Amino acid sequence: MASFTWTFPQFIVNPQEGALQNVVVGINWVCTGTDGVNTSTASGTVKLGTPNPAEFIPYADITQAMAAQWVSGQISMTGVEAELARQIALLSQPPVQSQNPPFATGA
C-alpha cells in the first residue's frame, strides 16, 4: 500500500491587494507517493480566489494545514493519490515482454 506526502513549496503572492498585504493568489503543490520501493510524484499549481477581507489570514500565520485545505478546494487530492497509486502499482509489475522459448527451435 502506498503512502503519500503533500508539500507546498511555493506560494504565489500579490504584495498588495486593496488594503491587504501579501495575499496568496496561488499555491504550487507536490504530492509524492511511495510503497517503500517505488515512488511517483505529481505536481501542479492552483489559483485561489480573492479573499474576503473579514476572513483574511496574514501571510505569516498560514499553516501547512491551511494550504492543504485551500488546495483541496481546487483539486481532488484523493484523485491525485489514486493516480499515483496506480502508477506505483505499474512500476512494481514488470511489463509483458516477448521472449524466445526456453527450448531449441528449428527444422
Side-chain angles (χ1 to χ4, degrees):
M1 176 141 177
S3 61
F4 303 95
T5 303
W6 286 85
T7 57
F8 310 99
Q10 191 172 44
F11 288 1
I12 301 156
V13 178
N14 186 351
Q16 187 79 34
E17 195 167 306
L20 305 176
Q21 295 181 342
N22 295 324
V23 177
V24 178
V25 296
I27 299 175
N28 294 337
W29 58 267
V30 176
C31 182
T32 302
T34 185
D35 65 1
V37 176
N38 299 296
T39 300
S40 189
T41 301
S43 62
T45 301
V46 297
K47 291 182 180 180
L48 303 177
T50 303
N52 177 344
E55 298 174 359
F56 180 73
I57 299 166
Y59 188 81
D61 294 340
I62 296 171
T63 65
Q64 182 163 338
M66 288 174 190
Q69 182 179 9
W70 295 341
V71 169
S72 71
Q74 303 296 318
I75 65 167
S76 170
M77 294 173 87
T78 56
V80 170
E81 291 175 356
E83 176 57 22
L84 292 177
R86 186 189 70 76
Q87 292 174 11
I88 291 166
L90 290 173
L91 291 170
S92 66
Q93 300 171 4
V96 177
Q97 302 175 3
S98 294
Q99 295 184 0
N100 294 328
F103 51 86
T105 61

